[in-house]
Amino acid sequence: MRVAVLRERRGGETRVAATPETVKKLLALGCTAAVETGAGLASGYPDVLYAEAGAEIAPDVGAALANAGLVLKVRAPLGTGEGEVDELALIPRGAILVGTLAATRAMAEVYAQLGIEACSMELLPRITRAQSMDVLSSQANLAGYRAVVEAAGAFDRGFPMLMTAAGTIPAANVFIMGAGVAGLQAIATARRLGGRVSATDVRPAAKEEIKSLGASFVGYEDEESKAAQTAGGYAKQLSADFYAKQAEVVAGHIAKQDIVVTTALVQGRKAPTLVTEAMVASMKPGSVIVDIASDAGGNVAATVPGEAITTANGVKILGYRNWPGRIAGAASALYARNLLTFLTTFWDKDAKRPVLKEEDDIVKGVQLTRGGAVVHASLPAA
């Protein structure tokens, strides 16, 4: 089987779907590999490293995709009119496409019409045997780390308490909103940097997780919040009344913070607004807010997705897109291993290709199309 690894062409994407390490392991399974020139450069993996691993360096996307049976991507391939090249039109019929495809019904129908067997890895079920291939968790972990590092860089005072002959600089007060994978890593990173850390989350299990990392818990709790978590471990969308009461509790707390990191996402929905304009206005000049949820509209009312701004009262709001892509080398390494684990889990040694059994729970979770039809349960026909 020929594996194609393409250069990511969507705006701001710096990651790559395979590293020299994972290419070498794919070759050991009996594959050949073609890596489009420049595919890994933004992640710190130049063509020479792929060549040393045994891959063919393809001069363009067409050459990389020629006769490919497996296509590895970070984000969905470009279609007609979306960019410099129509990647979809070049993918051979019957090829397996694996990436974070963010597929809609309409997009899945395009894959089906083109005969592409599409697997969207962000839909992976949260079950024990899928943990090592969970791209959302691996990327969120790094996003949480990077958010705190960038907050420290933007903050014009110190993170830890600094005692000098000229006087003492107090430790930064850091508030993490959302204690999922990204939030917990943000808590741990802020603690390691010496900040005084507090955190909040609507999910009932999060309170003990926050405390276990040495942060204090801040939040509103009621009967609704006791059922604020799905069976898959994600936060549920709660009522406007609950979010209003939660906002009352955290509003006074935010006014005392130096750094706020917001990480709250609800799968498949716009991110909830957790920090209002009034809350931002209450913060001290020089304070920093990092909005990890900016790709989904942002948790902060004042966030401008894709930009870093400073408000009229001197609060810096970092609303960059694609937070994992801001630590591209590590993000690519983990993402590539996630994909490799997925493929090897279903690898048929005799056929030298992955065999995706439709009755398997993991396959049911990620496979959008099979045999020219849309098969994913979450993408019903209109």
Side-chain angles (χ1 to χ4, degrees):
M1 171 175 266
R2 179 178 168 90
V3 181
V5 181
L6 304 187
R7 176 168 62 85
E8 297 296 321
R9 289 174 166 79
R10 294 191 180 272
E13 188 52 75
T14 55
R15 294 170 291 173
V16 64
T19 63
E21 173 201 11
T22 62
V23 163
K24 188 177 293 186
K25 290 178 179 178
L26 287 168
L27 296 180
L29 293 172
C31 297
T32 59
V35 178
E36 185 184 357
T37 186
L41 194 57
S43 297
Y45 302 110
D47 292 348
V48 64
L49 295 182
Y50 289 103
E52 289 172 356
E56 168 196 335
I57 304 303
D60 54 46
V61 62
L65 287 170
N67 301 312
L70 176 63
V71 181
L72 303 183
K73 289 277 290 155
V74 176
R75 296 171 66 190
L78 295 174
T80 305
E82 288 190 283
E84 61 190 86
V85 62
D86 187 344
E87 295 172 313
L88 278 174
L90 296 171
I91 297 176
R93 290 191 72 85
I96 299 171
L97 168 66
V98 183
T100 50
L101 307 180
T104 60
R105 174 72 194 195
M107 195 65 247
E109 287 178 349
V110 172
Y111 295 138
Q113 290 164 9
L114 293 172
I116 297 169
E117 309 274 312
C119 297
S120 200
M121 293 298 290
E122 76 276 12
L123 300 177
L124 195 80
R126 282 198 160 178
I127 56 178
T128 301
R129 58 187 282 259
Q131 287 180 347
S132 58
M133 51 187 97
D134 187 346
V135 298
L136 290 183
S137 291
S138 72
Q139 302 304 287
N141 194 304
L142 292 171
Y145 163 80
R146 185 68 185 190
V148 174
V149 170
E150 297 217 17
F155 187 49
D156 57 13
R157 294 186 289 280
F159 235 86
M161 182 175 69
L162 300 172
M163 299 178 69
T164 75
T168 299
I169 296 174
N173 292 312
V174 184
F175 184 39
I176 312 299
M177 303 187 74
V181 174
L184 292 174
Q185 181 57 252
I187 292 169
T189 303
R191 288 272 296 158
R192 284 194 292 267
L193 288 176
R196 286 194 295 257
V197 185
S198 58
T200 188
D201 195 289
V202 299
R203 295 172 299 117
K207 185 174 182 179
E208 293 308 314
E209 292 174 332
I210 288 167
K211 289 183 175 180
S212 73
L213 290 173
S216 59
F217 176 78
V218 176
Y220 172 76
E221 297 174 276
D222 66 3
E223 289 302 313
E224 186 179 4
S225 68
K226 291 178 183 177
Q229 184 168 312
T230 68
Y234 296 101
K236 286 183 179 179
Q237 183 79 17
L238 300 178
S239 68
D241 182 60
F242 175 86
Y243 286 122
K245 291 175 180 175
Q246 172 80 346
E248 288 178 18
V249 173
V250 303
H253 189 70
I254 283 179
K256 303 171 188 175
Q257 301 307 298
D258 299 303
I259 292 168
V260 175
V261 179
T262 66
T263 71
L265 288 166
V266 179
Q267 194 176 34
R269 294 176 179 263
K270 182 185 181 300
T273 299
L274 304 181
V275 181
T276 64
E277 296 274 6
M279 292 178 190
V280 175
S282 74
M283 296 181 72
K284 297 169 287 188
S287 300
V288 178
I289 301 175
V290 181
D291 194 341
I292 293 181
S294 54
D295 280 320
N299 295 142
V300 184
T303 292
V304 179
E307 297 184 22
I309 65 168
T310 302
T311 66
N313 63 314
V315 176
K316 300 173 185 176
I317 302 177
L318 309 185
Y320 303 129
R321 295 186 184 277
N322 189 15
W323 281 92
R326 299 183 72 80
I327 183 169
S332 296
L334 295 186
Y335 181 84
R337 289 174 199 157
N338 290 148
L339 297 197
L340 178 68
T341 302
F342 171 71
L343 294 169
T344 55
T345 297
F346 300 102
W347 198 263
D348 186 304
K349 292 181 180 178
D350 295 328
K352 294 185 179 180
R353 61 178 291 121
V355 175
L356 303 177
K357 299 175 182 178
E358 58 185 275
E359 68 276 8
D360 188 279
D361 287 341
I362 292 175
V363 175
K364 286 180 184 177
V366 303
Q367 192 165 34
L368 304 177
T369 55
R370 183 189 308 114
V374 177
V375 295
H376 200 280
S378 72
L379 299 172

